[in-house]
Amino acid sequence: MNEKTKGSGPDMLSGVSRSTRDGSGALDKETQTKIGQQLRAMYDEVVRQGVPDRFADLLKELERREDEEPKS
Amino acid sequence: MTIDPALRDAVLAAIPKLRAFAISLSGNVDRADDLVQETMLRALANIHSFQPGTNLQAWLFTILRNLFRCEYRKRKREVEDVDGRHADSLVSHPEQDSRLEFKELRVALGKLPQDQREALILVGASGFSYEEAAAICECAVGTIKSRVNRARHRLANELSIERAEDLGPDPAVRAVMAGKLR
């Protein structure tokens, strides 16, 4: 009985999928999902900061100036 | 001419996403906020050219992207004038901002060609369809698809994402992912 035949041989690709290495073809679903999750987490971290005061203030200032402008 | 309050509110509501996009492109909060402010001013000055009923967010993203590309070209020229040797490394790798999280991911993003980076962010993070991203980048849908695909491959290589159980090297990313998956 040989229990060691499974999973003990050297992995020629050592964990790097072929599609990732040569940069062509589709990435496997899990890798794609993971990249997507990381990108969205990074992005949402900024989105959650909301609207910084400088932008709301700028908008108010623009509107104030418009109100002061003589109507044509 | 006064701005329609509904439109003004919509512009304001789009700012968080515009910032996230600008920070992803430039890697720098101050530069990104200047870019968002310029986008806001341009948008309000040209609000008459926005067609009601169309996608306001996509319109704003288009303005921001064009401004960023203009600034990028200008910076590249200026830097080249001073020292041509460093020009490429300076403009193609956005400086890292210590206030930003997800460092590893941002560094990896910064190594992507600009076309690929913006395509990947628009589709992979901003949630635009391939069609919308193509309109924003003024190119064919197929071009966007191939840019996104190439960008994903390069990111996967940069971040050494090879296995599903490997949640990436960045502790901040890992923490967020763990929280989300629980």
Side-chain angles (χ1 to χ4, degrees), chain B residues 28-48:
Chain B
N28 178 284
V29 175
D30 294 325
R31 249 184 98 191
D33 279 347
D34 287 345
L35 207 54
V36 172
Q37 176 164 327
E38 188 59 27
T39 302
M40 220 173 110
L41 293 173
R42 292 274 177 109
L44 294 174
N46 296 289
I47 202 81
H48 55 272

Side-chain angles (χ1 to χ4, degrees), chain B residues 103-122:
Chain B
K103 287 218 164 43
E104 303 246 4
L105 181 56
R106 290 192 189 278
V107 168
L109 267 179
K111 290 180 182 169
L112 296 179
Q114 198 180 303
D115 287 347
Q116 293 180 24
R117 194 189 325 153
E118 62 188 20
L120 181 65
I121 298 293
L122 289 171

Side-chain angles (χ1 to χ4, degrees), chain B residues 89-158:
Chain B
S89 62
L90 272 175
V91 291
S92 61
H93 303 295
E95 64 266 50
Q96 280 307 299
D97 192 317
S98 60
R99 289 166 288 177
L100 292 173
E101 307 257 15
F102 303 98
K103 287 218 164 43
E104 303 246 4
L105 181 56
R106 290 192 189 278
V107 168
L109 267 179
K111 290 180 182 169
L112 296 179
Q114 198 180 303
D115 287 347
Q116 293 180 24
R117 194 189 325 153
E118 62 188 20
L120 181 65
I121 298 293
L122 289 171
V123 172
S126 309
F128 286 110
S129 66
Y130 284 114
E131 288 74 15
E132 288 167 331
I136 291 169
C137 298
E138 290 159 329
C139 67
V141 176
T143 307
I144 286 292
K145 284 184 180 170
S146 86
R147 283 176 188 169
V148 170
N149 190 39
R150 273 178 289 155
R152 279 180 179 144
H153 277 97
R154 289 182 71 148
L155 265 197
N157 272 335
E158 285 291 335

